[in-house]
């Protein structure tokens, strides 16, 4: 009673002489399929040769007809909803198809095509499974070669599926009509895949699979996507390994017999690849749409898998028409935040494999850059996912794509970076550089650097007893790459891989060299943060208790003087007039990471280098030459270097830090008064004064927070340390109280109003909004350390939040 898309009935012609001469030529079909099989059409051709030829093409042997009928019945049996039943039926059907003659095989495949348009979802489900298996069979492509050159069996209108194939005007994508399982409309459906060229059995079957991607049954949609994925995968594997679809080795050409292009396309694996490429554009569009919009997670995941296979096929075959595009990358980024865990993992896996696909490319294309940015900001943050399996996958991808290539560099860094196949090393550094760049944006520290620290921490936990070796190898790799990327002339070393080289100096701003430099310091900053947390009782120190920062530094045998040398070289490059201004932004970001590392590794810096580095940093801060973005890292580095010098001299760290902080605050006070004096003379605040005042305000706020702890009593005005806020190795001046002078606090408050008075003209000059914003932030930091000041400033802060306030938001 249920038939796959019943075709129209047609009666036999009364004047069919050829049919009268041939007994038992009618196709034998089971009762459930009689309505979908059109009897053999009569012919009125006068030529006996054509009649005999047609007779041979359309007549089935009686015994084989019974077998075909049995297979028809088997393919529509009950219980096909169960995967085990479908698997057995599919396996048995493929064994039978492999043994049938070409005519009987063609008739059975036409029936399989009709199953994809059946009203019964189980029929459609088995149909797409069978088509996926058929397309991967060598005998299909041998039949395909013969039938495509004469009368293709799929063109013969023995069924509704064959009629669509022969008409050329209808959709052969497998989208069923009323009740046949159709789903949402895709642009052009399967017509795009088949109308651009001659219809062949392979194009019809592939279009049928593509059409089932819009089936109303999510199970059928998922199965269609997985079948397409398996077809593309098998074709790709066969091509890469030089094998046929059945696993046999393809015979190589000899000098006496060279393979022509036509011979090459007749190889089944190659023929399948060519057929897939012909419908590549429409198929990629359909899979991307299905992965992005389907309401079932299983369909989205299956579509991602097939989609990835097609994109890899385009990369390998160099098919620009459906190579990875911005739409693909954007869609995969969104899917990394999908509500389904399986979909998130599939999207992350797809982005990882697409990045790795560029390993064999000598050029750094915009597509490769977009993929690396997408991976850094969508895949790596999955290490903080709520689902543990997703976290494990993200850590695995991070290790595979970033950590393993870096560890592999070892002491042979200089040589390996010049060898062929070095792209994977540069990809790892470029991804880390993207993370460093992302940290400069709003919220970037949580999304980029925070994700990197979390990934490293979980990697060290997973390493267990091998965590010491892993940390040691990472320190060594960063040590060598950091020196190479800055062209350092090392004074003392255990090896000679980072000796001074004029060529390195000339290529200091090369794309790969810049990425290595930025990525190396970004990784070192994250690694030191991760290892330094083991000494902090406020964190989960037991998680990485197998290794500490001191143990890793000693085991790596690195020369710690490279920290101070690197900072000196970065300062020289930033202050150099020969360096283009567009390169200095990247140098500033690298300097920030270098200062962060020094703030955590200051105790390992040699004393002479520590004193030199301290003096240079303090001079830069006192002359306000350090950019605002570097001030927090510079202040923390000064504290670490002060502790290093006090450890050697025995002086009190609190006293030494308090001394240079008071000096900085005094210079800030003088700078503000000087700007106010100039302002009173000119009657306006120029751009240079605004920039300087913003810089000074930011510095006041940062130094006032030195030693701050949430446990301190803000009402206490003493500068002595409290027992409840005792210093730690990570915070050596925790508990130190910094209180600016009342004059400095008053000067900060003068920059809070919307306007400032002009003494010479009884008028008001507008206060720049940026400067006011810095003033409010600085006042807030001062209030955190002084309860009485906070009470005085409460009304001032609340007034700015009033809806009628005319201040700049």
């Amino acid at each position: 009673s249920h038939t796959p898309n019943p075709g129209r009935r047609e009666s036999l012609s009364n004047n069919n002489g050829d049919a009268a001469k041939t007994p038992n030529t009618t196709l034998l079909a089971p009762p459930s399929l009689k309505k979908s099989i059109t009897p053999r059409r009569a012919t009125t051709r006068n030529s006996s040769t054509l009649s005999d030829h047609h007779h041979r093409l359309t007549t089935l042997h009686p015994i084989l007809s019974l077998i075909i009928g049995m297979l028809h019945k088997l393919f529509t049996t009950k219980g096909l909803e169960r995967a085990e039943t479908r698997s057995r039926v599919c396996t048995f059907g493929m064994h039978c198809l492999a043994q049938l003659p070409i005519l009987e095989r063609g008739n059975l495949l036409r029936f399989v095509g009709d199953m994809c348009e059946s009203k019964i979802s189980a029929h459609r489900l088995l149909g797409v499974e069978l088509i996926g298996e058929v397309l991967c069979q060598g005998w299909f492509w041998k039949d395909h070669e013969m039938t495509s050159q004469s009368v293709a069996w799929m063109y013969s209108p023995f069924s509704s599926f064959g009629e669509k194939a022969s008409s050329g005007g209808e959709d052969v994508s497998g989208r069923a009509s009323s009740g046949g399982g159709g789903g949402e409309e895709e642009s052009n459906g399967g017509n795009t895949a088949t109308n651009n060229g001659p219809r062949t059995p392979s194009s019809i079957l592939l279009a049928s699979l593509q059409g089932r991607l819009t089936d109303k049954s999510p199970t059928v949609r998922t199965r269609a996507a997985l079948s397409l994925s398996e077809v593309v995968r098998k074709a790709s594997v066969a091509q890469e390994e030089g094998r046929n679809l059945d696993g046999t080795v393809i015979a190589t050409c000899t000098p006496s017999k060279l393979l022509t292009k036509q011979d090459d396309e007749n190889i089944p694996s190659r023929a399948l690849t060519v057929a897939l490429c012909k419908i590549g554009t429409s198929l990629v569009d359909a899979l991307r749409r299905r992965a992005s919009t389907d309401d079932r997670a299983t369909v989205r995941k299956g579509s991602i898998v097939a989609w990835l296979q097609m994109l890899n096929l385009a990369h390998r075959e160099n098919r620009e028409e459906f190579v990875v595009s911005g739409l693909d990358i954007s869609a995969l980024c969104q899917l990394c935040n999908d509500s389904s865990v399986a979909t998130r993992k599939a999207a992350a896996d797809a982005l990882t494999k697409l990045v790795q696909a560029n390993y064999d490319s000598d050029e750094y294309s915009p597509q490769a850059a977009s993929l690396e940015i997408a991976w850094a900001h969508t895949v790596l943050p999955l290490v903080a996912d709520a689902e543990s399996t997703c976290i494990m996958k993200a850590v695995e991808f991070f290790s595979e794509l970033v950590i393993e290539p870096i560890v592999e560099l070892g002491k042979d860094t200089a040589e390996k970076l010049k060898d062929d196949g070095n792209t994977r090393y540069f990809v790892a550094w470029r991804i880390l550089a993207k993370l460093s760049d992302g940290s400069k944006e709003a919220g970037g520290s949580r999304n980029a650097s925070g994700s990197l620290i979390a990934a490293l921490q979980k990697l060290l936990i997973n390493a267990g007893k091998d965590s010491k070796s892993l940390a040691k190898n990472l320190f060594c790799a960063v040590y060598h790459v950091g020196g190479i990327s800055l062209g350092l002339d090392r004074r003392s070393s255990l090896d000679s891989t980072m000796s001074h080289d004029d060529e390195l100096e000339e290529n200091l701003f090369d794309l790969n060299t810049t990425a290595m430099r930025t990525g190396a310091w970004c990784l070192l900053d994250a690694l030191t943060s991760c290892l330094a947390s083991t000494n902090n009782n406020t964190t989960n120190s037991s998680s990485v208790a197998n290794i500490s920062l001191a143990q890793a530094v000693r085991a790596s045998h690195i020369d710690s003087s490279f920290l101070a040398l690197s900072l000196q070289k970065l300062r020289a490059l930033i202050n150099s007039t020969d360096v283009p201004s567009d390169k200095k932004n990247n140098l500033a970001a690298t300097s920030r990471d270098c200062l962060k590392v020094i703030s955590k590794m200051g105790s390992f810096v040699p004393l002479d280098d520590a004193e030199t580095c301290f003096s240079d940093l303090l001079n830069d801060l006192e002359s306000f030459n350090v950019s605002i973005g570097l001030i927090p890292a510079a202040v923390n580095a000064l504290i670490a270097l002060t502790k290093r010098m006090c450890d050697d001299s025995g002086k009190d760290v609190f006293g030494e830090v308090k001394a240079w902080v008071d000096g900085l605050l005094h210079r800030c006070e003088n700078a503000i008064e000087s700007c106010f004096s100039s302002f009173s003379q000119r009657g306006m605040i120029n751009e240079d004064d605004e920039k300087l005042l913003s810089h000074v305000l930011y510095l006041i706020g940062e130094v006032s927070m030195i030693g701050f702890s949430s446990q301190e009593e803000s009402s206490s005005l003493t500068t002595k340390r409290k027992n409840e806020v005792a210093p730690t190795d990570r915070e050596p001046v925790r508990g130190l109280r910094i209180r600016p002078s009342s004059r400095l606090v008053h000067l900060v408050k003068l920059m809070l109003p919307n306007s400032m008075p002009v003494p010479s003209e009884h008028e008001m000059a507008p206060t720049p909004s940026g400067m006011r914003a810095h003033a409010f932030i600085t006042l807030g930091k001062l209030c955190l350390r002084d309860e009485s000041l906070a009470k005085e400033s409460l009304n001032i802060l609340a007034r700015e939040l009033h809806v009628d306030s005319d201040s700049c938001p």
Side-chain angles (χ1 to χ4, degrees), residues 293-539:
T293 62
D294 202 280
D295 59 348
R296 296 298 183 97
T298 54
V299 181
R300 296 197 298 272
K301 177 188 175 183
S303 299
I304 291 172
V305 175
W307 180 17
L308 171 64
Q309 295 288 352
M310 286 300 298
L311 293 177
N312 283 333
L313 177 68
H315 178 79
R316 191 182 66 253
E317 296 293 322
N318 197 23
R319 302 301 291 258
E320 295 182 359
E321 59 269 25
F322 62 101
V323 76
V324 181
S325 65
L327 287 175
D328 297 318
I329 298 173
S330 176
L332 285 172
C333 288
Q334 294 178 1
L335 288 167
C336 283
N337 296 317
D338 193 85
S339 58
S340 166
V341 175
T343 303
R344 294 200 298 273
K345 291 193 291 186
D349 179 65
L351 280 173
T352 303
K353 285 183 169 57
L354 289 174
V355 171
Q356 291 174 329
N358 292 312
Y359 281 172
D360 57 354
S361 177
D362 296 331
E363 297 181 358
Y364 185 50
S365 63
Q367 163 216 355
S370 299
L371 283 170
E372 290 167 3
I373 293 174
W375 193 95
H377 295 286
T378 57
V379 177
L380 188 60
L382 291 178
V383 295
D385 196 87
E387 178 61 38
S388 59
T389 58
C390 209
I391 295 174
M392 292 173 60
K393 273 293 180 183
V395 173
E396 177 186 337
F397 296 148
F398 171 68
S399 175
E400 181 181 349
L401 199 60
V402 178
I403 297 302
E404 290 179 6
I406 291 176
V407 170
E408 185 180 322
L409 285 173
K411 292 186 177 181
D412 301 328
T413 300
E415 289 74 16
K416 288 183 178 179
L417 290 176
K418 297 178 182 179
D419 292 342
D420 295 335
N422 57 5
T423 306
R424 61 194 301 263
Y425 306 129
F426 293 128
V427 167
W429 294 120
R430 287 199 296 259
I431 288 176
L432 290 169
K434 301 294 190 302
L435 291 170
S436 178
D437 295 339
S439 298
K440 296 182 293 184
E441 302 174 0
S445 59
R446 294 190 301 272
N447 191 35
S449 298
S451 299
L452 180 58
I453 294 173
L456 280 172
Q457 188 173 26
K458 294 182 185 300
L459 201 61
L460 289 170
I461 295 172
N462 295 340
K465 295 181 179 180
D466 295 331
S467 59
K468 293 183 180 180
S469 175
L470 176 60
K472 167 191 169 183
N473 292 332
L474 287 176
F475 265 108
C476 289
V478 170
Y479 172 54
H480 292 292
V481 170
I484 290 174
S485 60
L486 282 172
L488 296 182
D489 185 9
R490 299 184 57 212
R491 297 170 300 178
S492 59
S493 62
L494 299 176
D495 54 73
S496 58
T497 58
M498 289 191 291
S499 59
H500 180 72
D501 194 325
D502 292 334
E503 183 179 355
L504 291 175
E505 291 282 358
E506 294 176 1
N507 296 328
L508 210 56
F509 297 102
D510 177 72
L511 177 64
N512 288 326
T513 305
T514 301
M516 288 166 53
R517 180 170 57 247
T518 307
W521 285 103
C522 178
L523 178 60
L524 187 56
D525 174 35
L527 182 60
T528 52
S529 297
C530 181
L531 295 177
S533 66
T534 60
N535 299 325
N536 189 358
N537 294 329
T538 61
T539 62

Side-chain angles (χ1 to χ4, degrees), residues 58-269:
T58 58
T59 302
L60 301 182
H61 190 280
I63 300 300
L64 293 177
S65 297
L66 292 174
I67 296 176
I68 296 297
M70 179 195 69
L71 290 173
H72 286 184
K73 189 67 176 178
L74 182 63
F75 288 169
T76 56
T77 188
K78 294 182 180 180
L80 292 175
E81 296 82 3
R82 296 191 296 271
E84 183 181 1
T85 303
R86 288 198 312 275
S87 177
R88 291 179 177 180
V89 171
C90 186
T91 302
F92 179 75
M94 295 310 299
H95 284 305
C96 292
L97 277 168
Q99 303 302 323
L100 289 173
I102 183 171
L103 177 60
E104 286 73 12
R105 196 147 55 198
N107 277 274
L108 189 56
L109 288 178
R110 283 201 302 274
F111 178 80
V112 172
D114 282 333
M115 290 176 62
C116 291
E117 295 192 353
S118 172
K119 295 181 180 180
I120 303 175
S121 62
H123 294 175
R124 303 195 302 273
L125 189 57
L126 179 60
V128 295
E129 286 193 33
L130 286 168
I131 290 178
E133 292 292 333
V134 166
L135 287 169
C136 298
Q137 302 300 316
W139 51 258
F140 169 78
W141 294 99
K142 293 179 182 178
D143 295 353
H144 184 277
E145 178 185 353
M146 292 185 292
T147 55
S148 297
Q149 296 173 359
S150 56
V151 181
W153 43 263
M154 294 292 272
Y155 288 7
S156 302
F158 274 79
S159 65
S160 57
F161 190 71
E163 289 180 49
K164 289 186 176 183
S166 61
S167 64
E170 298 183 40
D171 186 2
V172 232
S173 68
R175 187 191 301 123
S177 54
S178 59
E184 308 112 34
E185 292 289 329
E186 301 270 357
S187 62
N188 254 358
N191 271 340
T192 305
T194 57
N195 285 343
N196 292 338
R199 296 187 182 280
T200 60
S202 60
S203 66
I204 295 171
L205 291 180
L206 285 171
S208 180
L209 277 183
Q210 180 178 336
R212 286 305 95 209
L213 292 173
T214 59
D215 196 276
K216 68 180 181 181
S217 170
T219 308
V220 177
R221 297 198 300 270
T222 304
R223 184 65 255 181
L226 293 178
S227 293
L228 281 168
S229 171
E230 191 65 11
V231 168
V232 182
R233 187 192 67 80
K234 288 183 178 180
S236 301
V237 171
Q239 284 283 95
E240 292 173 357
E241 297 180 355
R243 296 177 178 273
N244 289 306
L245 292 173
D246 58 1
T248 58
V249 179
I250 298 175
T252 56
C253 59
T254 60
S256 60
K257 182 180 179 181
L258 297 176
L259 291 177
T260 64
K261 181 179 180 181
Q262 183 177 1
D263 293 333
D264 182 59
E265 292 184 355
N266 289 337
I267 298 174
S269 57

Side-chain angles (χ1 to χ4, degrees), residues 16-36:
N16 185 357
D18 291 335
K21 297 179 182 178
T22 306
N24 297 328
T25 57
T26 309
L27 296 179
L28 183 62
S32 62
L33 298 176
K34 284 182 178 177
K35 293 183 179 181
S36 65

Side-chain angles (χ1 to χ4, degrees), residues 644-702:
R644 171 68 182 90
M645 294 185 293
C646 288
D647 289 342
D648 190 77
S649 63
K651 295 181 180 180
D652 181 50
V653 179
F654 275 64
E656 293 298 314
V657 171
K658 183 74 167 54
W660 59 258
V661 166
D662 288 342
L664 281 176
L665 291 176
H666 180 68
R667 285 185 175 272
C668 290
E669 183 177 333
N670 292 338
I672 295 176
E673 289 180 340
S674 175
C675 287
F676 279 5
S677 176
S678 300
F679 164 68
S680 63
Q681 296 175 3
R682 293 191 304 266
M684 61 176 293
I685 298 178
N686 59 24
E687 186 177 349
D688 291 338
D689 286 342
E690 179 185 354
K691 183 178 179 180
L692 176 60
L693 287 173
S694 297
H695 192 112
V696 170
L697 287 169
Y698 194 91
L699 179 58
I700 294 171
E702 282 300 314

